[in-house]
Amino acid sequence: MATPAVPLSLLLLFAILSNTFADPDLLQDTCVADLSSGVTINGFVCKPSNNVTANDFFFDGLKNPGQIISPLGSVVTPANVLNITGLNTLGVSLARVDFAPGGVNPPHTHPRATEIIFVLEGELEVGFITTANVLISRTIMVGEVFTFPKGLVHFQINNGAGNAAILAALNSQLPGTQAIAVTLFAASPPVPDNVLAKAFQIGTMEVDNIKSGLASKY
Ligand SMILES: *[C@@H]1O[C@H](CO)[C@@H](O)[C@H](O)[C@H]1NC(C)=O
Ligand SMILES: *[C@@H]1O[C@H](CO)[C@@H](O)[C@H](O)[C@H]1NC(C)=O
């Protein structure tokens, strides 16, 4: 039987559309995560639909500022599928980040999501670095919005005199975070010193200094 001719442009369009979603598209109305199931799939298995309630879609954990205890002067409060089980398969989540004056949310990436932030309070210098190593950066004020493209390294710092806070929306139920400094210098088991020394063109003593500095704080 002859294969029906599908224009290449149509195939390309489907390929592009199917990649528009950061997480796979859903196959039913809801799939509230059963976090206690031992079965691992791409996401979480659904709990029985006759056991679904409004509370599976509710979370009040972003109401108040998070408690800043980190030496970085910032705290991230996630609201992802681990906090709102109803987000399973929906491809979306939120986070709130609170900053003391001078506080920084250090360079990090979300491997599974683009992020868009809204400034709740204060002002921040924000930026991301492209794969061509160009820094795209500016100051944003309360009520303003900025975007960090999927996978790119980005940061926020509160250079203002008062506290600052942002609300972040991400197009993944579980965006994942890799903070560059911690990922490289506080991994377990550790990334070998000679790998980091060559990568950063420094001595292994300096590598050890950075590792022990981070280890004492995380
Ligand atoms: C339904 O929810 C209740 C209360 O959370 C739980 O005890 C019960 O095991 C659930 N039933 C099923 C079939 O998951
Ligand atoms: C969100 O879920 C994570 C992972 O279970 C947990 O560590 C964190 O405390 C939760 N956040 C809130 C505000 O309950």
Side-chain angles (χ1 to χ4, degrees), residues 59 61 77-78 82-83:
F59 186 60
T77 310
L82 301 179
N83 307 101

Side-chain angles (χ1 to χ4, degrees), residues 112-157:
R112 292 181 288 276
T114 288
E115 174 175 355
I116 182 163
I117 61 168
F118 175 84
V119 183
L120 298 169
E121 180 187 7
E123 65 176 77
L124 295 142
E125 187 181 336
V126 300
F128 64 85
I129 300 119
T130 71
T131 58
N133 294 328
V134 176
L135 172 64
I136 308 284
S137 172
R138 61 161 293 156
T139 299
I140 54 172
M141 319 284 280
V142 64
E144 295 179 341
V145 166
F146 196 77
T147 311
F148 305 110
K150 181 177 180 177
L152 297 187
V153 174
H154 60 279
F155 62 85
Q156 301 106 25
I157 185 162

